[in-house]
Amino acid sequence: DAKTTQPTSMDCAEGRAANLPCNHSTISGNEYVYWYRQIHSQGPQYIIHGLKNNETNEMASLIITEDRKSSTLILPHATLRDTAVYYCIVRAPDSNYQLIWGAGTKLIIKP
Amino acid sequence: DAGVIQSPRHEVTEMGQEVTLRCKPISGHDYLFWYRQTMMRGLELLIYFNNNVPIDDSGMPEDRFSAKMPNASFSTLKIQPSEPRDSAVYFCASSFAVQGKVPYEQYFGPGTRLTVT
């Protein structure tokens, strides 16, 4: 599976959009991009995934560049409860079910 | 649904003792995963099951670790004998495959914080 690179930490003001980048320059054509987050002392939580097109759900939007070498997770109106570690993962659908977890981005939402 | 249930939430034991961690996956899910999380190594997959059958246990660190899934609603992770370096948070997760497709979303339990002294 392709490796991902994320900033170690980011800050965002409450109510503003939080944009979390992820580089996956070695991604293969059939690999999906997944985003999970882990709030302190809880298990990881699935947020969204995508292949080529931009995706949106009730939690966030995922923007994938045309060359698929990077993506951005957007939390449109960040709240204090969005403070968490955000993980970007890439995986092929025909691979095993192991998700390779990096260090993620520690996002701190400030009042 | 109550989500993935893990017990105990906290476990403190002495080196050499046997430890058993328990997991109840979400009803209807056919995949179950055991993870370990430490500050040094992050989140690591230990083993996963499909329809109660172990599929990949390559992440199990040593023979001291074993996992079972006797039925679709219960799984255990056992460490015998336990060592201080086993101290970590152990997560169980479950998911389901739609029409044979790879499951995208894994649902995690709250974890068991294990401390071995």
Side-chain angles (χ1 to χ4, degrees):
Chain A
D1 292 334
K3 291 184 178 179
T4 61
T5 304
Q6 300 177 252
T8 303
S9 64
M10 293 180 63
D11 292 345
C12 180
E14 187 179 18
R16 303 296 295 270
N19 296 276
L20 292 94
C22 179
N23 286 320
H24 30 78
S25 58
T26 59
I27 193 170
S28 300
N30 64 341
E31 288 185 312
Y32 284 73
V33 180
Y34 300 77
W35 283 85
Y36 279 74
R37 73 179 181 183
Q38 186 172 21
I39 296 171
H40 182 62
S41 297
Q42 297 183 21
Q45 176 189 24
Y46 165 85
I47 301 173
I48 199 167
H49 74 275
L51 181 63
K52 297 180 183 178
N53 301 321
N54 298 336
E55 303 287 345
T56 296
N57 63 21
E58 65 279 4
M59 289 183 68
S61 295
L62 174 59
I63 308 298
I64 302 174
T65 58
E66 191 170 346
D67 63 8
R68 303 205 330 116
K69 293 185 177 182
S70 66
S71 61
T72 301
L73 178 74
I74 301 172
L75 307 179
H77 304 289
T79 70
L80 298 179
R81 289 174 293 183
D82 292 322
T83 292
V85 177
Y86 287 76
Y87 297 96
C88 170
I89 302 165
V90 295
R91 183 171 68 83
D94 57 351
S95 68
N96 63 39
Y97 296 102
Q98 178 163 195
L99 299 174
I100 307 298
W101 302 78
T105 296
K106 173 66 174 178
L107 175 66
I108 299 173
I109 306 300
K110 297 187 173 182
Chain B
D1 198 313
V4 175
I5 299 172
Q6 292 187 246
S7 64
R9 293 294 309 278
H10 302 275
E11 177 78 40
V12 180
T13 190
E14 293 183 346
M15 181 174 63
Q17 296 298 308
E18 177 180 296
V19 176
T20 299
L21 310 181
R22 298 172 175 79
C23 175
K24 175 179 171 55
I26 293 173
S27 177
H29 284 192
D30 52 359
Y31 286 88
L32 184 138
F33 308 82
W34 281 102
Y35 288 88
R36 177 174 69 177
Q37 186 173 37
T38 62
M39 289 294 293
M40 290 295 294
R41 301 177 65 89
L43 200 60
E44 304 172 281
L45 178 67
L46 300 177
I47 185 172
Y48 78 89
F49 295 82
N50 178 218
N51 291 323
N52 313 336
V53 177
I55 303 300
D56 186 349
D57 65 354
S58 59
M60 295 286 263
E62 301 172 29
D63 291 344
R64 298 184 297 105
F65 285 69
S66 62
K68 294 182 179 180
M69 192 166 186
N71 57 63
S73 60
F74 184 66
S75 176
T76 60
L77 178 67
K78 184 177 295 186
I79 308 172
Q80 166 63 21
S82 58
E83 297 182 3
R85 58 191 169 125
D86 301 330
S87 297
V89 180
Y90 291 81
F91 289 103
C92 175
S94 69
S95 64
F96 67 96
V98 177
Q99 295 180 339
K101 295 182 179 179
V102 170
Y104 296 112
E105 183 173 355
Q106 294 184 15
Y107 296 79
F108 283 76
T112 294
R113 182 173 296 277
L114 174 64
T115 303
V116 183
T117 61

